[in-house]
Amino acid sequence: MADEETLLEFPCDFPIKIMGETREGFAEEIVTVVRKHAPDFDMTGFAMRASSGGKYLSVTCTVTATSKPQLDDLYRELTSHPWVKVVL
């Protein structure tokens, strides 16, 4: 079935950048949420970077996206997480 709402072709590698304040367990919490929606997420698709002042942490998770609803659900859960400030 062709999804007319997206230009993506599934499955595809899809990087998601999640930013929040630096805190203990932030990266692990993000990976837990990502694996809920992309159970095959592999840590080779994981990167983490602190801001220059160290106040914020950016986590990039490259998932194998299988559908637009999967990505929508993942974005919804990440953006509603109290530790997350921005999802790109």
Side-chain angles (χ1 to χ4, degrees):
M1 178 175 131
D3 191 343
E4 296 170 10
E5 295 180 39
T6 182
L7 298 175
L8 297 173
E9 290 187 28
F10 298 102
C12 64
D13 288 342
F14 192 87
I16 301 171
K17 182 179 271 192
I18 305 102
M19 292 174 266
E21 289 186 27
T22 300
R23 70 181 319 149
E24 184 78 26
F26 179 77
E28 293 83 357
E29 181 72 11
I30 296 307
V31 169
T32 298
V33 172
V34 167
R35 284 199 171 132
K36 183 174 166 186
H37 298 276
D40 61 343
F41 175 68
D42 182 333
M43 290 301 285
T44 59
F46 176 87
M48 189 168 57
R49 185 173 171 195
S51 65
S52 58
K55 182 174 180 177
Y56 297 98
L57 193 60
S58 154
V59 173
T60 302
C61 296
T62 301
V63 301
T64 301
T66 57
S67 68
K68 184 176 184 308
Q70 175 204 30
L71 290 177
D72 290 345
D73 290 345
L74 177 54
Y75 268 90
R76 237 185 316 277
E77 185 164 353
L78 287 170
T79 57
S80 67
H81 195 287
W83 294 1
V84 173
K85 300 291 183 201
V86 178
V87 180
L88 303 171

